[in-house]
Amino acid sequence: MKNILISIFAFSIAYGVAYATGIELVKNAVTIAFLIQWILFIPAYLMQTEKFYDLAGSITYISIISYVYCQSSEFNIASLILSLFIIVWAIRLGSFLFFRIKKAGEDKRFRDIKPSPTRFFMTWTLQGTWVSLCSACAITAISTTEGIILNEIFVLGAFTFIIGFLIEVVADNQKTKFRSIPENKDKFITTGLWSYSRHPNYLGEITLWLGVALMSFSSLEGLQLITLVSPIFTYLLLVYVSGVRLLEASGNKKWGHLSSYQEYKKNTPTLFFKINK
């Protein structure tokens, strides 16, 4: 019952934000996002697999962004740029996570979740909420009569997105290369961007969604401004729910007894960059 109630609450929050925009296209997009999750949950549960969970999230982003852009009233270069930014990000992240899970054989987070139909369903519903709330400002702005407004704030947002995207890509590649070296098995990374932040990939993720919010800002008015929750939601999700919280607990369990790890944690911020040299 608890899992079902959480699923209902998660859907209600996402659809409530969409409803507040007053735009039918946004409400339809959010409905599509959840329908994709719920449909894909069925084969995932029957096969007891989480291997295409992250890929499904990326496909959902691509689907609703494409749907909203194609249904918007007229051609808008700024709307096209924002749509392509999100689509490129989704393709990159989705494929990266999919192949990482495929190589590892499983996502350990789901080991105790998969057997429970209501708990597994809840995770798919929460993914629908993640997609809906993160993309809310973008799909709302694109759906307005004028579409995305091309101005100085948009340009600032575009640069912010690019910086965040590059940080995320570089951090992921550095960690992948580190882990590919047999001698580094069961070791923690302290080089590259990881020498300035313990979780630079998540910093990049938060930064790029801040960029999306800035690119969308000028097109929003009234209650539509509530959709700017995107970067805040991303921060709270990655720092306090999943991501940082889980990895910090795992790191403490693996390396907490090592003085080198204690020193790394002492001198390296959890998220935001600190230039030590």
Side-chain angles (χ1 to χ4, degrees):
M1 180 59 69
K2 177 183 177 181
N3 297 330
I4 294 174
L5 289 176
I6 292 174
S7 297
I8 294 173
F9 178 75
F11 171 76
S12 299
I13 290 294
Y15 193 81
V17 170
Y19 187 83
T21 67
I23 302 176
E24 196 67 26
L25 191 56
V26 176
K27 290 186 281 185
N28 292 342
V30 169
T31 300
I32 291 171
F34 280 96
L35 285 176
I36 292 174
Q37 303 311 305
W38 294 335
I39 291 171
L40 291 178
F41 156 75
I42 298 172
Y45 177 70
L46 293 177
M47 293 187 292
Q48 284 293 286
T49 182
E50 75 289 353
K51 290 183 179 179
F52 59 86
Y53 178 82
D54 292 311
L55 188 61
S58 293
I59 291 172
T60 307
Y61 272 108
I62 295 169
S63 298
I64 66 171
I65 290 294
S66 300
Y67 166 75
V68 169
Y69 178 77
C70 292
Q71 293 294 318
S72 55
S73 56
E74 57 184 46
F75 177 77
N76 179 308
I77 186 63
S79 294
L80 177 60
I81 292 172
L82 178 54
S83 298
L84 290 176
F85 275 11
I86 295 175
I87 289 172
V88 169
W89 164 82
I91 293 173
R92 203 290 305 185
L93 183 62
S95 59
F96 171 78
L97 294 175
F98 174 74
F99 287 114
R100 188 177 70 177
I101 296 301
K102 185 178 180 181
K103 182 178 180 180
E106 70 166 337
D107 187 336
K108 294 179 181 179
R109 298 174 302 171
F110 289 85
R111 189 174 291 173
D112 298 326
I113 295 176
K114 290 183 294 184
S116 169
T118 57
R119 194 177 178 193
F120 199 28
F121 177 81
M122 178 186 68
T123 63
W124 285 87
T125 301
L126 290 175
Q127 180 158 254
T129 303
W130 169 59
V131 174
S132 299
L133 290 183
C134 282
S135 63
C137 57
I139 61 177
T140 301
I142 294 171
S143 300
T144 57
T145 305
E146 293 185 40
I148 301 290
I149 297 174
L150 184 58
N151 56 16
E152 293 84 356
I153 298 177
F154 175 89
V155 174
L156 174 62
F159 276 112
T160 303
F161 178 94
I162 292 170
I163 291 170
F165 182 75
L166 291 176
I167 291 173
E168 183 176 66
V169 171
V170 171
D172 282 340
N173 287 341
Q174 288 176 342
K175 194 169 189 178
T176 299
K177 290 180 179 178
F178 177 84
R179 286 179 169 176
S180 67
I181 301 173
E183 291 78 10
N184 290 333
K185 184 179 180 182
D186 297 326
K187 292 183 179 180
F188 56 93
I189 182 172
T190 60
T191 56
L193 294 180
W194 301 83
S195 65
Y196 303 113
S197 167
R198 301 205 298 275
H199 304 280
N201 52 334
Y202 294 141
L203 175 61
E205 180 84 355
I206 294 166
T207 302
L208 68 86
W209 283 112
L210 174 60
V212 170
L214 289 172
M215 294 169 76
S216 307
F217 176 75
S218 299
S219 302
L220 306 174
E221 60 181 22
L223 286 178
Q224 294 173 355
L225 292 170
I226 197 174
T227 62
L228 294 174
V229 71
S230 172
I232 300 172
F233 173 76
T234 303
Y235 175 82
L236 295 175
L237 177 67
L238 291 179
V239 175
Y240 297 106
V241 180
S242 63
V244 171
R245 184 180 68 86
L246 298 179
L247 289 176
E248 286 289 301
S250 176
N252 289 333
K253 185 176 180 180
K254 287 182 181 179
W255 309 298
H257 62 288
L258 300 176
S259 59
S260 58
Y261 185 69
Q262 294 171 10
E263 190 70 15
Y264 173 65
K265 287 189 66 176
K266 179 181 178 181
N267 297 323
T268 311
T270 303
L271 191 66
F272 297 102
F273 284 170
K274 177 183 178 182
I275 308 301
N276 298 314
K277 297 180 180 180

